[in-house]
Amino acid sequence: MVDKTLLEVMKLHYFLVVNGRKLKNFTTIVLTAIVTAWFVYIQNVSLTTFSTDDGPRAFFKGKEGIALTFNISWGDEIAEKIIDILKKNEIQNATFFLSGSWAENHPHIVEKISNANFEIGLLGYNYLDYEEVKDEEIRRDLLKAEEIFQKLGVSYKKIVRAPNGHYDERFLKIADQLNLTVVHWSINTNDWKNPGVEAIMETVQSAKNGDIILMHASDSGMQTAVALPKMIESFQSKGITFVTVSDMVAEGKVTTEEVH
């Protein structure tokens, strides 16, 4: 009788130990899943679209820091140079606006941008002039870009820039409906025209806190990679810090722009 009771106690102890381990493993799995889901959520959480009494507006200027932004729509040489320069100069805050068609054809560079923890925003899919196409085509173009980023597993922000800077009320409203914040710029370096390194530098000499600088990491901007280190050094000598566009938006300290 004693032996039988002892055996039952031992079985119960074994049962509790084994199931305790299973419960611990299960709890670890659940917690890991929750943390992972939260990380994905905060990476893709929608930013507030700026609206006024007259409807949604694009924003082009913040209050603190300078935002270095790079549009990419074609090519594969300059983009990698820009990424390497930013990393070499330990610039962690920069924003890349990528066209979906380019990202689809250059996933290895997109991955490099993502792995460097640079911010990624939308530049549409087909690099359309949104003033020249119908509403539904604008909507399809934006949704197609998001679809590509999702397929590539790219962490991106819900910010969008009109490919050539041309936009109207229709684009603003459609972006607003898709929960996208429209981003313009306060300083255009016109680097894609290759005006010379000194000319590019001249455009940013008056840059100050809150400015959003437009540059290009497409292969058209052959002088950008030469000007960028000089630009970074100039800003740092003035004690200016670098921020992402979404940092500016999150602060809520931005200036909106009327449609041209």
Side-chain angles (χ1 to χ4, degrees):
M1 184 68 179
V2 174
D3 291 341
K4 184 176 180 180
T5 301
L6 180 60
L7 181 60
E8 292 298 326
V9 171
M10 291 175 64
K11 285 182 179 180
L12 177 61
H13 176 73
Y14 176 78
F15 173 81
L16 293 174
V17 170
V18 171
N19 282 275
R21 288 173 180 171
K22 289 182 178 179
L23 179 61
K24 182 179 179 180
N25 290 337
F26 176 75
T27 302
T28 300
I29 292 171
V30 171
L31 289 175
T32 301
I34 292 173
V35 171
T36 301
W38 174 248
F39 176 77
V40 171
Y41 170 76
I42 62 174
Q43 287 297 310
N44 293 286
V45 65
S46 301
L47 299 168
T48 302
T49 301
F50 282 87
S51 297
T52 66
D53 292 339
D54 298 321
R57 287 285 178 265
F59 86 85
F60 72 101
K61 200 166 186 178
K63 296 297 182 183
E64 303 297 332
I66 280 181
L68 300 177
T69 69
F70 303 88
N71 287 5
I72 309 182
S73 59
W74 72 279
D76 57 8
E77 294 184 11
I78 302 301
E80 297 208 61
K81 289 181 180 179
I82 295 297
I83 297 166
D84 291 340
I85 289 170
L86 292 171
K87 292 172 66 176
K88 181 179 179 180
N89 285 273
E90 299 182 343
I91 305 300
Q92 297 179 326
N93 295 323
T95 303
F96 287 81
F97 289 91
L98 312 180
S99 78
S101 59
W102 179 86
E104 191 173 26
N105 291 314
H106 300 84
H108 63 292
I109 304 181
V110 178
E111 183 179 17
K112 190 171 183 179
I113 294 171
S114 182
N115 288 342
N117 292 319
F118 296 131
E119 182 170 79
I120 294 176
L122 307 180
L123 196 64
Y125 180 81
N126 279 319
Y127 205 83
L128 301 175
D129 185 334
Y130 289 144
E131 287 185 321
E132 301 296 327
V133 298
K134 296 180 179 179
D135 291 17
E136 191 52 40
E137 192 168 355
I138 295 174
R139 185 182 299 277
R140 281 199 304 267
D141 193 65
L142 295 175
L143 289 174
K144 179 67 173 177
E146 287 203 89
E147 178 186 337
I148 293 304
F149 287 143
Q150 289 165 4
K151 283 184 177 179
L152 292 175
V154 176
S155 176
Y156 65 96
K157 296 294 183 180
K158 298 280 282 186
I159 53 178
V160 62
R161 175 173 276 170
N164 54 9
H166 298 165
Y167 61 90
D168 53 23
E169 289 283 359
R170 296 178 307 120
F171 171 58
L172 292 173
K173 289 179 180 178
I174 292 169
D176 186 40
Q177 290 166 0
L178 297 177
N179 211 16
L180 293 167
T181 296
V182 178
V183 177
H184 199 55
W185 55 80
S186 57
I187 295 179
N188 185 353
T189 63
N190 285 308
D191 56 341
W192 64 275
K193 296 180 179 180
N194 296 302
V197 173
E198 293 306 316
I200 293 173
M201 289 298 297
E202 183 65 26
T203 64
V204 301
Q205 286 306 306
S206 60
K208 54 187 179 297
N209 278 324
D211 277 319
I212 298 175
I213 299 176
L214 169 65
M215 289 178 278
H216 295 78
S218 293
D219 282 0
S220 56
M222 294 180 288
Q223 297 167 343
T224 310
V226 181
L228 184 57
K230 300 176 183 292
M231 197 181 298
I232 292 171
E233 182 180 3
S234 175
F235 291 148
Q236 290 179 329
S237 69
K238 298 175 183 177
I240 295 174
T241 59
F242 300 102
V243 298
T244 63
V245 168
S246 64
D247 285 338
M248 287 183 171
V249 178
E251 288 176 359
K253 300 175 181 178
V254 297
T255 304
T256 57
E257 180 180 62
E258 295 292 332
V259 177
H260 307 300

